[in-house]
Amino acid sequence: MNDTTRMVDAQRLSLIFNDLRLPAIKRDWPGFTTRADKEAWPAARLLATLAEHEIAERDRRRTERHLLEAHLPPGKTIDSFDFNAVPQISKAQILALCAGDGWLEKGANVIAFGPPGGGKSHLAAAIGLALIENGWRVLFTRTSDLVQKLQVARRELSLESAITKLDKYHLLILDDLAYVSKDQAETSVLFELISARYERRSLLITANQPFGEWGKVFPDPAMTLAAVDRLVHHANILELNVESYRRRAATQRRTGPGRPPGRATINENLRLSAADNQLDESPLPTSISPN
Ligand code: ADP
Ligand code: MG
Protein backbone atom coordinates (compact mmCIF):
# COMPACT_ATOMS: atom_id res chain seq x y z
CA MET A 1 0.00 0.00 0.00
CA ASN A 2 1.44 3.39 -0.98
CA ASP A 3 0.96 6.80 0.63
CA THR A 4 -2.17 7.78 -1.23
CA THR A 5 -4.06 4.60 -0.61
CA ARG A 6 -3.14 4.74 3.07
CA MET A 7 -4.56 8.25 3.37
CA VAL A 8 -8.12 7.24 2.47
CA ASP A 9 -10.47 4.44 3.36
CA ALA A 10 -10.09 2.47 0.14
CA GLN A 11 -13.03 0.22 0.85
CA ARG A 12 -15.37 3.12 1.44
CA LEU A 13 -14.11 4.76 -1.72
CA SER A 14 -14.91 1.58 -3.63
CA LEU A 15 -18.49 1.70 -2.39
CA ILE A 16 -18.82 5.34 -3.33
CA PHE A 17 -17.53 4.72 -6.85
CA ASN A 18 -20.05 1.88 -7.10
CA ASP A 19 -22.85 4.19 -6.04
CA LEU A 20 -21.71 6.80 -8.52
CA ARG A 21 -21.39 4.12 -11.22
CA LEU A 22 -17.77 4.89 -11.95
CA PRO A 23 -16.35 1.38 -12.40
CA ALA A 24 -13.19 2.40 -14.24
CA ILE A 25 -12.18 4.93 -11.57
CA LYS A 26 -13.08 2.39 -8.91
CA ARG A 27 -10.78 -0.18 -10.48
CA ASP A 28 -7.91 2.02 -11.57
CA TRP A 29 -7.63 5.01 -9.23
CA PRO A 30 -4.67 3.71 -7.16
CA GLY A 31 -2.51 3.59 -10.28
CA PHE A 32 -3.39 7.17 -11.19
CA THR A 33 -2.98 8.59 -7.69
CA THR A 34 0.36 6.85 -7.24
CA ARG A 35 1.59 8.32 -10.49
CA ALA A 36 0.19 11.75 -9.61
CA ASP A 37 2.07 11.67 -6.29
CA LYS A 38 5.27 10.53 -7.89
CA GLU A 39 5.15 13.14 -10.65
CA ALA A 40 3.69 15.90 -8.46
CA TRP A 41 0.63 16.48 -10.66
CA PRO A 42 -1.54 19.47 -9.82
CA ALA A 43 -4.77 18.21 -8.23
CA ALA A 44 -6.84 19.46 -11.18
CA ARG A 45 -4.79 17.33 -13.57
CA LEU A 46 -5.49 14.21 -11.53
CA LEU A 47 -9.19 15.01 -11.43
CA ALA A 48 -9.32 15.55 -15.19
CA THR A 49 -7.32 12.38 -15.88
CA LEU A 50 -9.67 10.26 -13.76
CA ALA A 51 -12.75 11.75 -15.40
CA GLU A 52 -11.36 11.21 -18.88
CA HIS A 53 -10.40 7.66 -18.03
CA GLU A 54 -13.96 6.87 -16.97
CA ILE A 55 -15.39 8.41 -20.14
CA ALA A 56 -12.96 6.51 -22.37
CA GLU A 57 -13.82 3.22 -20.66
CA ARG A 58 -17.52 3.99 -20.93
CA ASP A 59 -17.15 4.54 -24.69
CA ARG A 60 -15.19 1.32 -25.01
CA ARG A 61 -17.83 -0.67 -23.13
CA ARG A 62 -20.61 0.89 -25.20
CA THR A 63 -18.84 0.00 -28.44
CA GLU A 64 -18.36 -3.54 -27.14
CA ARG A 65 -22.09 -3.84 -26.41
CA HIS A 66 -22.99 -2.42 -29.79
CA LEU A 67 -20.66 -4.89 -31.48
CA LEU A 68 -22.27 -7.80 -29.67
CA GLU A 69 -25.80 -6.77 -30.54
CA ALA A 70 -24.93 -6.09 -34.21
CA HIS A 71 -24.32 -9.74 -35.17
CA LEU A 72 -21.80 -8.78 -37.83
CA PRO A 73 -20.11 -11.62 -39.67
CA PRO A 74 -16.56 -11.79 -38.29
CA GLY A 75 -13.46 -10.62 -40.08
CA LYS A 76 -15.14 -8.37 -42.66
CA THR A 77 -13.39 -5.04 -42.39
CA ILE A 78 -12.63 -2.10 -44.66
CA ASP A 79 -8.93 -2.91 -44.30
CA SER A 80 -9.44 -6.45 -45.58
CA PHE A 81 -11.62 -5.26 -48.48
CA ASP A 82 -9.71 -5.11 -51.73
CA PHE A 83 -10.96 -1.99 -53.49
CA ASN A 84 -8.90 -2.80 -56.59
CA ALA A 85 -11.25 -5.70 -57.18
CA VAL A 86 -14.25 -3.36 -57.55
CA PRO A 87 -13.12 -0.40 -59.62
CA GLN A 88 -16.68 1.02 -59.76
CA ILE A 89 -16.63 1.54 -56.00
CA SER A 90 -14.87 4.61 -54.70
CA LYS A 91 -13.01 4.01 -51.47
CA ALA A 92 -13.47 7.65 -50.55
CA GLN A 93 -17.24 7.28 -50.87
CA ILE A 94 -17.22 4.18 -48.66
CA LEU A 95 -15.06 5.91 -46.06
CA ALA A 96 -17.50 8.82 -46.06
CA LEU A 97 -20.37 6.38 -45.45
CA CYS A 98 -18.37 4.86 -42.57
CA ALA A 99 -18.47 8.18 -40.72
CA GLY A 100 -22.27 8.03 -40.66
CA ASP A 101 -22.71 11.79 -40.51
CA GLY A 102 -24.83 13.30 -43.21
CA TRP A 103 -26.85 10.20 -44.06
CA LEU A 104 -27.78 8.30 -40.89
CA GLU A 105 -29.33 11.40 -39.28
CA LYS A 106 -31.75 11.79 -42.14
CA GLY A 107 -32.51 8.10 -42.59
CA ALA A 108 -30.91 7.82 -46.03
CA ASN A 109 -30.22 4.37 -47.44
CA VAL A 110 -27.50 2.38 -49.17
CA ILE A 111 -28.31 -0.29 -51.70
CA ALA A 112 -25.56 -2.60 -52.89
CA PHE A 113 -26.15 -4.55 -56.08
CA GLY A 114 -24.08 -7.24 -57.68
CA PRO A 115 -23.81 -10.91 -58.51
CA PRO A 116 -23.08 -13.48 -55.79
CA GLY A 117 -19.54 -13.39 -54.47
CA GLY A 118 -18.92 -9.81 -55.54
CA GLY A 119 -18.32 -8.56 -52.02
CA LYS A 120 -21.68 -7.02 -51.09
CA SER A 121 -21.99 -8.70 -47.70
CA HIS A 122 -18.34 -8.03 -46.92
CA LEU A 123 -18.66 -4.35 -47.74
CA ALA A 124 -21.96 -4.05 -45.84
CA ALA A 125 -20.49 -5.68 -42.74
CA ALA A 126 -17.35 -3.55 -42.99
CA ILE A 127 -19.39 -0.35 -43.17
CA GLY A 128 -21.45 -1.59 -40.21
CA LEU A 129 -18.34 -2.26 -38.15
CA ALA A 130 -16.85 1.15 -38.89
CA LEU A 131 -20.13 2.85 -37.99
CA ILE A 132 -20.23 1.05 -34.64
CA GLU A 133 -16.68 2.16 -33.95
CA ASN A 134 -17.88 5.69 -34.69
CA GLY A 135 -20.63 5.42 -32.09
CA TRP A 136 -23.64 4.38 -34.20
CA ARG A 137 -25.88 1.38 -33.58
CA VAL A 138 -26.22 -1.24 -36.28
CA LEU A 139 -27.96 -4.58 -36.78
CA PHE A 140 -26.81 -6.98 -39.47
CA THR A 141 -29.33 -9.62 -40.46
CA ARG A 142 -30.17 -11.86 -43.35
CA THR A 143 -33.32 -10.38 -44.81
CA SER A 144 -35.12 -13.72 -44.65
CA ASP A 145 -34.34 -14.12 -40.92
CA LEU A 146 -35.70 -10.69 -40.08
CA VAL A 147 -38.77 -11.20 -42.24
CA GLN A 148 -39.45 -14.45 -40.41
CA LYS A 149 -39.22 -12.71 -37.03
CA LEU A 150 -41.50 -9.91 -38.18
CA GLN A 151 -44.00 -12.45 -39.45
CA VAL A 152 -44.09 -14.11 -36.05
CA ALA A 153 -44.62 -10.68 -34.53
CA ARG A 154 -47.47 -10.02 -36.94
CA ARG A 155 -49.15 -13.27 -35.96
CA GLU A 156 -48.83 -12.20 -32.33
CA LEU A 157 -50.27 -8.79 -33.26
CA SER A 158 -47.06 -7.05 -32.25
CA LEU A 159 -45.62 -6.15 -35.65
CA GLU A 160 -45.73 -2.43 -34.97
CA SER A 161 -43.84 -2.68 -31.70
CA ALA A 162 -41.33 -5.11 -33.28
CA ILE A 163 -40.63 -2.54 -36.00
CA THR A 164 -40.45 0.26 -33.43
CA LYS A 165 -37.90 -1.73 -31.43
CA LEU A 166 -35.65 -1.74 -34.48
CA ASP A 167 -35.60 2.07 -34.32
CA LYS A 168 -32.78 1.86 -31.81
CA TYR A 169 -30.55 0.83 -34.69
CA HIS A 170 -29.44 3.79 -36.76
CA LEU A 171 -28.69 1.32 -39.52
CA LEU A 172 -30.38 -1.95 -40.31
CA ILE A 173 -28.37 -4.06 -42.74
CA LEU A 174 -30.69 -6.35 -44.70
CA ASP A 175 -28.41 -8.83 -46.37
CA ASP A 176 -29.66 -10.67 -49.47
CA LEU A 177 -32.98 -9.14 -50.24
CA ALA A 178 -33.41 -11.54 -53.14
CA TYR A 179 -33.73 -14.56 -50.93
CA VAL A 180 -36.99 -13.46 -49.37
CA SER A 181 -39.64 -15.93 -50.47
CA LYS A 182 -42.56 -14.72 -52.45
CA ASP A 183 -45.14 -15.41 -49.78
CA GLN A 184 -47.61 -12.51 -49.56
CA ALA A 185 -47.70 -12.01 -45.81
CA GLU A 186 -43.96 -12.38 -45.61
CA THR A 187 -43.18 -9.76 -48.15
CA SER A 188 -45.61 -7.20 -46.84
CA VAL A 189 -43.90 -7.11 -43.43
CA LEU A 190 -40.80 -6.08 -45.33
CA PHE A 191 -42.77 -3.32 -47.00
CA GLU A 192 -44.07 -2.16 -43.64
CA LEU A 193 -40.54 -2.06 -42.30
CA ILE A 194 -39.35 0.00 -45.27
CA SER A 195 -42.28 2.40 -44.90
CA ALA A 196 -41.82 2.76 -41.14
CA ARG A 197 -38.15 3.67 -41.47
CA TYR A 198 -38.60 5.99 -44.45
CA GLU A 199 -36.75 9.29 -43.87
CA ARG A 200 -36.18 8.38 -40.22
CA ARG A 201 -33.89 5.40 -39.95
CA SER A 202 -31.48 4.02 -42.51
CA LEU A 203 -31.38 0.70 -44.31
CA LEU A 204 -28.46 -0.90 -46.09
CA ILE A 205 -29.79 -3.52 -48.47
CA THR A 206 -27.75 -5.98 -50.49
CA ALA A 207 -29.36 -7.63 -53.49
CA ASN A 208 -28.32 -9.87 -56.35
CA GLN A 209 -31.14 -8.63 -58.55
CA PRO A 210 -31.59 -5.16 -60.01
CA PHE A 211 -34.71 -3.15 -59.19
CA GLY A 212 -36.31 -4.41 -62.37
CA GLU A 213 -36.58 -7.86 -60.80
CA TRP A 214 -37.84 -6.75 -57.42
CA GLY A 215 -41.31 -7.67 -58.57
CA LYS A 216 -40.37 -11.12 -57.30
CA VAL A 217 -39.69 -9.73 -53.85
CA PHE A 218 -42.95 -7.88 -53.18
CA PRO A 219 -46.46 -9.26 -53.65
CA ASP A 220 -47.71 -6.80 -56.27
CA PRO A 221 -46.31 -4.22 -58.69
CA ALA A 222 -47.77 -1.23 -56.81
CA MET A 223 -46.07 -2.31 -53.61
CA THR A 224 -42.79 -2.95 -55.43
CA LEU A 225 -42.92 0.52 -56.93
CA ALA A 226 -43.77 2.12 -53.58
CA ALA A 227 -40.97 0.21 -51.82
CA VAL A 228 -38.35 1.08 -54.45
CA ASP A 229 -39.54 4.68 -54.46
CA ARG A 230 -39.07 5.06 -50.70
CA LEU A 231 -35.75 3.25 -50.73
CA VAL A 232 -34.14 5.26 -53.52
CA HIS A 233 -35.52 8.66 -52.55
CA HIS A 234 -32.40 9.29 -50.44
CA ALA A 235 -30.01 6.54 -51.40
CA ASN A 236 -26.45 5.74 -52.28
CA ILE A 237 -26.39 2.98 -54.84
CA LEU A 238 -23.29 0.79 -54.88
CA GLU A 239 -22.71 -1.43 -57.87
CA LEU A 240 -20.38 -4.34 -57.30
CA ASN A 241 -20.78 -5.58 -60.79
CA VAL A 242 -17.78 -7.89 -60.72
CA GLU A 243 -17.09 -11.55 -61.05
CA SER A 244 -17.14 -13.56 -57.83
CA TYR A 245 -14.14 -12.66 -55.70
CA ARG A 246 -13.84 -16.27 -54.54
CA ARG A 247 -13.91 -17.60 -58.07
CA ARG A 248 -11.29 -15.10 -59.18
CA ALA A 249 -9.11 -15.94 -56.20
CA ALA A 250 -9.43 -19.64 -57.07
CA THR A 251 -8.58 -18.98 -60.72
CA GLN A 252 -5.52 -17.04 -59.66
CA ARG A 253 -4.41 -19.85 -57.39
CA ARG A 254 -4.77 -22.32 -60.24
CA THR A 255 -2.95 -20.17 -62.75
CA GLY A 256 -0.50 -19.18 -59.98
CA PRO A 257 3.19 -19.61 -60.87
CA GLY A 258 4.16 -19.77 -64.50
CA ARG A 259 1.49 -17.41 -65.73
CA PRO A 260 2.35 -15.57 -68.91
CA PRO A 261 4.06 -12.23 -68.41
CA GLY A 262 1.66 -9.31 -68.34
CA ARG A 263 -0.62 -11.26 -66.06
CA ALA A 264 2.06 -11.77 -63.52
CA THR A 265 0.70 -9.77 -60.65
CA ILE A 266 -2.48 -10.33 -58.73
CA ASN A 267 -3.44 -6.69 -59.10
CA GLU A 268 -3.02 -6.78 -62.83
CA ASN A 269 -5.16 -9.89 -62.98
CA LEU A 270 -7.90 -8.31 -60.89
CA ARG A 271 -7.81 -5.17 -62.96
CA LEU A 272 -8.14 -7.12 -66.17
CA SER A 273 -11.00 -9.29 -64.98
CA ALA A 274 -12.76 -6.28 -63.50
CA ALA A 275 -12.38 -4.44 -66.79
CA ASP A 276 -13.82 -7.48 -68.60
CA ASN A 277 -16.76 -7.37 -66.29
CA GLN A 278 -17.45 -3.74 -66.90
CA LEU A 279 -18.60 -4.75 -70.33
CA ASP A 280 -21.47 -6.57 -68.64
CA GLU A 281 -24.80 -4.89 -68.53
CA SER A 282 -25.30 -2.62 -65.57
CA PRO A 283 -27.60 -4.26 -63.00
CA LEU A 284 -29.47 -0.98 -62.62
CA PRO A 285 -32.25 0.24 -64.86
CA THR A 286 -31.21 3.62 -66.21
CA SER A 287 -34.64 5.02 -65.32
CA ILE A 288 -33.72 5.19 -61.65
CA SER A 289 -31.21 7.88 -60.92
CA PRO A 290 -30.25 7.95 -57.26
CA ASN A 291 -28.99 11.15 -55.71
P1 ADP B 1 -21.71 -11.30 -51.90
O1 ADP B 1 -22.35 -10.89 -50.59
O2 ADP B 1 -21.72 -10.21 -52.92
O3 ADP B 1 -22.26 -12.56 -52.42
P2 ADP B 1 -19.39 -11.70 -50.23
O4 ADP B 1 -19.23 -10.38 -49.59
O5 ADP B 1 -19.99 -12.77 -49.40
O6 ADP B 1 -20.17 -11.58 -51.61
O7 ADP B 1 -17.97 -12.17 -50.76
C1 ADP B 1 -17.61 -13.53 -50.93
C2 ADP B 1 -16.25 -13.78 -50.29
O8 ADP B 1 -15.24 -13.08 -50.98
C3 ADP B 1 -16.20 -13.31 -48.85
O9 ADP B 1 -15.37 -14.20 -48.13
C4 ADP B 1 -15.57 -11.93 -48.95
O10 ADP B 1 -14.87 -11.61 -47.76
C5 ADP B 1 -14.65 -12.09 -50.14
N1 ADP B 1 -14.56 -10.86 -50.92
C6 ADP B 1 -15.43 -10.44 -51.87
N2 ADP B 1 -15.04 -9.29 -52.42
C7 ADP B 1 -13.89 -8.94 -51.79
C8 ADP B 1 -12.99 -7.83 -51.91
N3 ADP B 1 -13.18 -6.85 -52.81
N4 ADP B 1 -11.91 -7.82 -51.08
C9 ADP B 1 -11.70 -8.82 -50.20
N5 ADP B 1 -12.52 -9.90 -50.05
C10 ADP B 1 -13.60 -9.97 -50.82
MG1 MG C 1 -23.85 -11.87 -49.57
Side-chain angles (χ1 to χ4, degrees), residues 76 80-83 85-86 115-123 245-246:
K76 306 300 178 194
S80 64
F81 190 79
D82 176 6
F83 283 90
V86 272
K120 301 180 299 297
S121 300
H122 185 141
L123 197 56
Y245 192 82
R246 276 181 296 239

Side-chain angles (χ1 to χ4, degrees), residues 5-241:
T5 41
R6 241 193 302 274
M7 262 186 271
V8 296
D9 181 343
Q11 252 173 3
R12 183 169 147 63
L13 210 47
S14 259
L15 292 175
I16 292 173
F17 287 139
N18 262 352
D19 272 358
L20 292 173
R21 295 192 172 74
L22 300 169
I25 295 183
K26 178 191 162 190
R27 187 190 59 212
D28 300 325
W29 70 266
F32 286 107
T33 52
T34 304
R35 190 167 158 215
D37 286 342
K38 211 185 295 171
E39 297 174 12
W41 287 4
R45 174 168 173 201
L46 175 62
L47 190 61
T49 305
L50 286 170
E52 272 158 23
H53 179 60
E54 186 66 53
I55 288 286
E57 282 291 291
R58 200 169 279 182
D59 286 350
R60 194 187 54 73
R61 286 194 305 270
R62 191 193 312 117
T63 303
E64 223 166 57
R65 272 199 316 276
H66 291 175
L67 269 176
L68 270 180
E69 73 182 7
H71 294 114
L72 293 170
K76 306 300 178 194
T77 63
I78 293 290
D79 284 346
S80 64
F81 190 79
D82 176 6
F83 283 90
N84 293 323
V86 272
Q88 316 94 310
I89 299 291
S90 131
K91 186 172 182 181
Q93 186 195 1
I94 299 300
L95 292 180
L97 288 175
C98 289
D101 308 314
W103 68 287
L104 292 182
E105 299 104 332
K106 61 175 189 182
N109 303 313
V110 172
I111 307 172
F113 287 108
K120 301 180 299 297
S121 300
H122 185 141
L123 197 56
I127 291 171
L129 177 63
L131 287 171
I132 292 169
E133 283 165 353
N134 287 324
W136 303 92
R137 291 178 77 177
V138 174
L139 177 68
F140 184 105
T141 171
R142 285 181 61 91
T143 311
S144 52
D145 291 346
L146 184 68
V147 163
Q148 248 167 38
K149 281 187 194 137
L150 293 179
Q151 259 190 305
V152 171
R154 175 200 289 265
R155 279 199 293 276
E156 293 167 355
L157 305 177
S158 60
L159 179 62
E160 207 180 309
S161 79
I163 288 178
T164 306
K165 270 192 199 136
L166 294 170
D167 275 357
K168 71 178 181 196
Y169 299 109
H170 301 101
L171 179 67
L172 204 54
I173 301 176
L174 301 183
D175 196 30
D176 276 331
L177 183 74
Y179 297 148
V180 169
S181 91
K182 204 180 176 298
D183 177 278
Q184 289 262 335
E186 217 179 315
T187 45
S188 63
V189 296
L190 187 60
F191 179 74
E192 280 171 52
L193 175 71
I194 291 169
S195 301
R197 289 180 77 92
Y198 176 60
E199 291 193 325
R200 290 191 315 110
R201 284 284 187 243
S202 299
L203 292 166
L204 191 167
I205 294 180
T206 76
N208 294 332
Q209 287 119 324
F211 288 125
E213 288 171 41
W214 282 24
K216 294 174 199 149
V217 174
F218 296 93
D220 63 70
M223 198 184 275
T224 308
L225 201 66
V228 171
D229 200 56
R230 282 169 175 74
L231 285 172
V232 302
H233 186 194
H234 310 281
N236 286 279
I237 309 284
L238 307 175
E239 287 184 62
L240 290 89
N241 192 18

